[in-house]
Amino acid sequence: MEKTSVSFEFAGKTLTLETGQLAKQATSSILARLGDTMVLATVVQGGTREDLGYFPLNIEYVERLYAGGKIKGSRWVKREGRPSDDAVLIGRLIDRSIRPLFPKEYKNEVQVIVTVLSVDSENDPDILSIIAVSAALAISPISWKGPVGAIRIGYMKDPENGKGEFLLNPTTSESGLSDLDLVVSQAKDLTLMIEAGAKQVPEEIVHEAMKHAHDETKKVINFIDDLAKKIGAKKTEVTPSAAYAEMVAIVEKSYKQEIVKLAASLANKESGGSEMSELITMIFDQEKMKDPTQELDKKIIAKAVESIMYKNIRHDVVKSKKRVDGRAVDEIRPLSVQVGVLPRTHGSAIFQRGLTQALTVATLGSPRLEQLIESAEGEETKRYMHHYSMPPYSVGETGRLFGPSRREIGHGALAERALLPIIPSKDKFPYTIRVVSEILSSNGSTSMAATCGSTLALMDAGVPIEYPVAGISIGMMSEGKDYVLLTDIIGLEDFSGDMDFKVAGTEKGVTAIQLDVKIPGLTIAQVGEILERAQKARMFILEKMLTVIPKERPELSEYAPKIEMIKIPVEKIGEVIGPGGRVIKNIIATTGATIDVEDDGSVTVSGTDDEAVKKAAEWVRSITREIVPGEVFEEGVVKRILPFGAFVEFLPGKEGMVHVSQMAQGFVKSPDEVVTIGQKVKVRVAEIDDQGRVNLSMKFGDANDTQPRSPQQPAAPSGRPMGTGTARPGWAEGRDRPRYSPAGNRNTAGPDRRGGRDDSGVSSDHPLTRQFRRERVGSRPPFKKR
């Protein structure tokens, strides 16, 4: 194929599709570009796999850090590893957009690989990837009933007049301001896939957004159609299996009653059990007895039994509105809600709907436990996480436990998106939050059970969520143009039905949507009807949840960490950390609390002991608070005594010097006559010099208002306390103590440096000065180069 490049206007931007130059050995390939974001979509058709009971479609979305000019931050590993959660989720978007349009009889292996080559941080590669894959399949010989178009729709309200405006394919910066993030894949007249997150947006707005999306996706579909007509290969024809069609006829004629009984037995389980295998074996044996020469395949029998069972279920619903478990079409299964079920966790809940049961646990942590996500578009952090786990026992099966499957990642992301709009801001609730949903029993719509359980667990943990969130799944059965919507579908209705439309939200509006279909799609009118049905069911579930726990608990669990946020001036950060981190390490070692300091001056103090957190927080405040002359501190602690004075810690981590001449009203020969190490003394801030050093005084206005003598202090021989009398001539009024910086360096900036003396009149070679310098400087660590 020769190189072909075509462009068209898509939502006000130029989208370019190119083929024929890259990946020439693939069945087909498309290089797509929007702005400076570029992706390469390749499609390869493999051999037929009749041995599989499903269509072997494999979607891989490959992120490369070079696309954003990045190198992996790890010191030891520079190669990209396993796919990120975002890569898995985008792969699922592509899968759900294209899978419904493959013929059911098609059993060839198909692998789609999308490689992100360049990102501009403004145009998301996910929408571009869906369009590129759609074009690659359209020009390939693979049997596929496309193309499809995809678009992202945002919604933003004008704060002045309250009017809303829809954003078509918003940039990354615009999406951050949008109340709606709606990703839609559509065929010419039908919607195939929806993935949405919203900030409690009313259903009417979502429905209107779908209409706007359809107007734009039609342009994409027509453009790809024109490209396929010019350069597309002839499509491979798929013929139904004659053996399968024959077996369907046999099963429907001879074993219909057995299949009806099978459906009734499977209504209370999603999978597992021996009923299906027993029926298949019985049919195999009886047909063999009728004609021992005929060749029978149990896999074909199983497919035939499944096909007839699903056909009967759909017929009963559409024609008689009779569900397999006996419920009305809009009836929700019995609900059970429990909170506080685990004693040592921070918050826990069990939400059960019929046989679907989810145990959800909320854990609170300090901000330092936020998740760091590295991608080609840069690094970001995430403080609210939801993880979903569905072990084999939840469906009565055995199996090996590996890491999270793509389905588990997808369901966890849906529940996370549903709760994200109501999570309190970091300023209001400075915790990192992790929620884990353990699916204990599964029979349909476990992701929505996880969503409801998440709300309950967060409320049990005392998280001040804005509004409670609930979710419901709506299904549909159709025959021709007739269809019936089903509220709260069970597993068997999910497998036999046409769609699984999940909607989560609050009493105010929608927070998340996910649509999967097995048919060519839904009309816009059907989408509106489904949203209305889901809203009624959501209100019913919310009412049941709130009867158990009407609001979040007033206090956090005693086992949850305690956190206090402090904002300090940026220029004070160095004082909190200290040289080589000595100050902050001392606070942590002394109190046992954890302290995190951000570049903007945000300080987070956390720990399991409330008293330790308060002590550490007060310590930080004291270090950074502004000290003013004249301020009095009642309980200063004497830390060191020198021949000419004493250092007193008047605030945690903050010391000042009391010169011997400032210890009492009269003459004091030695500081030891007045104070002892560890003694608590009342001090007054005499002055703060231009280098920030604090000079203290133990003298106050009243002549008798001086510090009491320590119990160990002896009386002078004359009968009066030591430390009284006239001042020593060398320390005249107004000539204060030698000045030293907080690091222990003698001030060299004083005005009087003549004759080797500082501004106090004391020689720098004076024995007391040298002793002080040894005391202050001798223990300092050596200077290290950075």
Side-chain angles (χ1 to χ4, degrees):
M1 182 185 295
E2 296 182 358
K3 178 181 176 180
T4 302
S5 180
V6 291
S7 300
F8 71 106
E9 186 175 317
F10 175 55
K13 302 173 185 177
T14 300
L15 191 152
T16 302
L17 302 178
E18 182 181 303
T19 188
Q21 183 178 14
L22 303 180
K24 293 186 176 183
Q25 295 193 64
T27 303
S28 65
S29 67
I30 290 287
L31 178 66
R33 176 170 183 168
L34 185 65
D36 283 342
T37 296
M38 298 177 68
V39 301
L40 174 65
T42 61
V43 177
V44 174
Q45 177 179 247
T48 304
R49 295 293 303 273
E50 293 291 349
D51 58 314
L52 299 177
Y54 58 89
F55 169 43
L57 173 64
N58 179 28
I59 310 290
E60 298 289 346
Y61 181 85
V62 182
E63 295 176 310
R64 298 299 190 201
L65 293 181
Y66 62 67
K70 312 288 184 186
I71 297 177
K72 195 173 180 65
S74 169
R75 184 175 181 182
W76 311 110
V77 179
K78 297 300 180 183
R79 179 188 291 271
E80 291 87 353
R82 58 176 295 177
S84 67
D85 285 1
D86 283 344
V88 170
L89 296 175
I90 295 175
R92 284 171 56 85
L93 288 181
I94 299 170
D95 188 306
R96 290 157 47 209
S97 299
I98 65 175
R99 186 180 291 270
L101 299 182
F102 284 94
K104 292 184 178 180
E105 301 83 8
Y106 191 69
K107 288 294 184 284
N108 285 69
E109 282 188 300
V110 175
Q111 185 177 49
V112 176
I113 298 178
V114 177
T115 307
V116 181
L117 302 178
S118 175
V119 292
D120 60 9
S121 300
E122 284 296 319
N123 298 286
D124 287 323
D126 52 359
I127 299 298
L128 187 62
S129 297
I130 297 173
I131 295 173
V133 171
S134 174
L137 285 169
I139 66 173
S140 76
I142 297 172
S143 182
W144 185 64
K145 300 174 183 178
V148 300
I151 193 170
R152 172 175 272 106
I153 301 292
Y155 179 77
M156 191 183 302
K157 271 190 175 182
D158 189 324
E160 294 183 359
N161 55 31
K163 293 183 178 180
E165 178 184 0
F166 289 102
L167 307 174
L168 304 179
N169 244 25
T171 62
T172 303
S173 54
E174 290 173 336
S175 294
L177 304 173
S178 175
D179 290 337
L180 176 66
D181 182 25
L182 175 69
V183 175
V184 185
S185 295
Q186 296 170 319
K188 287 185 177 179
D189 300 308
L190 302 172
T191 297
L192 292 159
M193 188 278 301
I194 301 174
E195 191 77 32
K199 298 176 182 177
Q200 304 181 79
V201 173
E203 281 78 2
E204 297 80 14
I205 299 297
V206 176
H207 191 209
E208 189 66 26
M210 295 291 298
K211 298 177 183 177
H212 284 273
H214 205 61
D215 294 337
E216 289 297 321
T217 54
K218 282 181 179 179
K219 301 175 184 177
V220 179
I221 293 167
N222 293 334
F223 179 76
I224 295 176
D225 263 336
D226 292 340
L227 178 64
K229 289 175 183 177
K230 294 178 181 178
I231 63 172
K234 183 180 179 181
K235 295 295 182 183
T236 303
E237 294 185 5
V238 178
T239 56
S241 168
Y244 170 70
E246 183 180 351
M247 183 54 64
V248 168
I250 293 172
V251 170
E252 188 169 20
K253 179 181 178 181
S254 305
Y255 303 99
K256 190 170 184 179
Q257 291 305 315
E258 287 83 353
I259 291 176
V260 171
K261 293 179 181 179
L262 175 65
S265 68
L266 294 179
N268 292 325
K269 59 181 70 176
E270 189 164 297
S271 61
S274 59
E275 295 89 343
M276 174 70 87
S277 59
E278 289 173 358
L279 178 59
I280 293 168
T281 301
M282 185 198 75
I283 295 173
F284 181 87
D285 293 341
Q286 290 193 9
E287 292 303 312
K288 268 292 186 182
M289 289 177 62
K290 293 177 183 178
D291 184 4
T293 61
Q294 66 177 324
E295 294 184 2
L296 295 176
D297 188 339
K298 285 190 175 181
K299 290 183 178 179
I300 294 178
I301 296 174
K303 287 173 59 180
V305 169
E306 186 180 82
S307 175
I308 298 302
M309 180 172 63
Y310 291 169
K311 179 181 177 182
N312 291 341
I313 293 172
R314 286 196 300 272
H315 182 79
D316 287 343
V317 170
V318 175
K319 299 303 180 183
S320 308
K321 294 189 176 180
K322 178 183 175 183
R323 299 178 73 167
V324 68
D325 61 357
R327 285 182 293 145
V329 294
D330 60 351
E331 184 180 349
I332 297 174
R333 289 172 285 173
L335 299 176
S336 172
V337 175
Q338 300 177 62
V339 295
V341 295
L342 302 178
R344 293 300 292 261
T345 58
H346 303 161
S348 60
I350 294 177
F351 180 86
Q352 184 167 346
R353 189 194 308 111
L355 278 180
T356 295
Q357 185 183 62
L359 167 66
T360 305
V361 182
T363 307
L364 308 179
S366 69
R368 74 187 317 176
L369 297 177
E370 291 179 344
Q371 183 181 7
L372 178 64
I373 301 173
E374 188 178 35
S375 70
E377 296 174 82
E379 292 183 349
E380 61 178 334
T381 58
K382 187 162 71 169
R383 59 181 287 262
Y384 172 67
M385 297 153 280
H386 185 283
H387 297 148
Y388 168 103
S389 175
M390 184 174 163
Y393 66 74
S394 64
V395 291
E397 295 179 346
T398 61
R400 298 182 65 182
L401 294 177
F402 298 98
S405 66
R406 297 189 177 200
R407 179 180 178 275
E408 288 175 313
I409 292 173
H411 279 25
L414 175 60
E416 179 179 298
R417 189 181 303 111
L419 272 292
L420 193 59
I422 55 91
I423 297 297
S425 65
K426 191 173 183 178
D427 293 337
K428 184 178 180 181
F429 192 74
Y431 285 84
T432 297
I433 307 170
R434 181 181 183 234
V435 176
V436 178
S437 291
E438 304 281 359
I439 305 304
L440 306 181
S441 177
S442 173
N443 189 23
S445 192
T446 55
S447 63
M448 293 296 95
T451 299
C452 297
S454 297
T455 296
L456 296 167
L458 290 171
M459 294 172 74
D460 184 53
V463 179
I465 59 175
E466 186 177 346
Y467 288 95
V469 173
I472 191 68
S473 179
I474 306 295
M476 187 174 79
M477 302 281 185
S478 64
E479 284 187 347
K481 294 183 178 180
D482 297 328
Y483 68 91
V484 173
L485 299 181
L486 301 176
T487 299
D488 183 25
I489 57 175
I490 62 175
L492 191 57
E493 291 172 331
D494 185 10
F495 303 146
S496 59
D498 298 332
M499 70 167 194
D500 183 5
F501 200 124
K502 307 180 186 76
V503 184
T506 68
E507 62 182 29
K508 292 182 62 179
V510 174
T511 58
I513 297 175
Q514 187 178 87
L515 167 66
D516 303 316
V517 298
K518 302 181 184 71
I519 57 176
L522 304 177
T523 65
I524 298 297
Q526 286 173 332
V527 171
E529 187 179 348
I530 293 165
L531 290 173
E532 183 179 349
R533 174 75 69 86
Q535 196 267 348
K536 293 179 181 178
R538 186 171 77 243
M539 293 300 103
F540 176 82
I541 296 172
L542 278 172
E543 182 181 351
K544 296 294 184 182
M545 292 167 55
L546 295 178
T547 58
V548 176
I549 180 167
K551 60 182 298 185
E552 70 274 3
R553 299 201 186 279
E555 295 181 355
L556 302 182
S557 165
E558 61 178 302
Y559 304 110
K562 312 303 183 289
I563 295 180
E564 193 164 339
M565 296 290 292
I566 305 169
K567 192 74 173 180
I568 66 172
V570 174
E571 61 271 15
K572 296 281 187 178
I573 292 176
E575 295 183 29
V576 174
I577 297 175
R582 280 185 296 175
V583 174
I584 195 170
K585 288 177 182 177
N586 183 35
I587 301 174
I588 293 171
T590 303
T591 64
T594 300
I595 302 175
D596 298 296
V597 183
E598 302 294 338
D599 293 339
D600 64 350
S602 300
V603 180
T604 305
V605 184
S606 61
T608 54
D609 185 356
D610 193 31
E611 289 301 318
V613 171
K614 290 180 179 177
K615 182 178 179 181
E618 186 57 36
W619 196 329
V620 172
R621 289 192 186 97
S622 67
I623 292 174
T624 59
R625 63 168 288 188
E626 293 294 332
I627 310 299
V628 296
E631 197 169 356
V632 176
F633 298 91
E634 297 289 341
E635 294 189 347
V637 179
V638 178
K639 291 295 186 180
R640 285 168 295 150
I641 299 176
L642 301 176
F644 49 80
F647 281 93
V648 176
E649 184 181 59
F650 57 93
L651 286 172
K654 228 174 183 50
E655 293 183 4
M657 183 176 177
V658 182
H659 190 265
V660 68
S661 65
Q662 295 294 318
M663 288 184 172
Q665 294 292 345
F667 174 75
V668 178
K669 183 177 180 181
S670 170
D672 294 323
E673 299 174 357
V674 181
V675 295
T676 59
I677 292 178
Q679 179 184 345
K680 291 186 177 180
V681 295
K682 180 180 178 181
V683 293
R684 171 177 56 84
V685 178
E687 71 164 330
I688 302 172
D689 66 16
D690 55 359
Q691 294 190 27
R693 297 169 299 189
V694 179
N695 298 325
L696 303 175
S697 174
M698 293 165 59
K699 294 177 171 184
F700 294 87
D702 188 349
N704 297 318
D705 188 11
T706 58
Q707 293 295 326
R709 182 169 54 86
S710 66
Q712 296 80 12
Q713 179 180 338
S718 61
R720 62 177 175 80
M722 290 184 179
T724 59
T726 58
R728 193 174 64 177
W731 299 97
E733 186 71 26
R735 301 179 72 81
D736 208 344
R737 65 171 175 84
R739 301 183 181 185
Y740 295 86
S741 70
N745 299 319
R746 188 156 52 86
N747 180 15
T748 58
D752 188 4
R753 304 297 300 158
R754 298 182 300 276
R757 295 177 179 269
D758 62 8
D759 56 356
S760 67
V762 180
S763 170
S764 59
D765 294 325
H766 193 281
L768 295 183
T769 305
R770 291 198 299 271
Q771 179 179 345
F772 176 77
R773 292 175 65 188
R774 286 195 298 271
E775 175 73 14
R776 289 288 282 165
V777 183
S779 61
R780 292 172 62 197
F783 177 81
K784 293 182 179 180
K785 281 189 176 181
R786 294 202 172 203

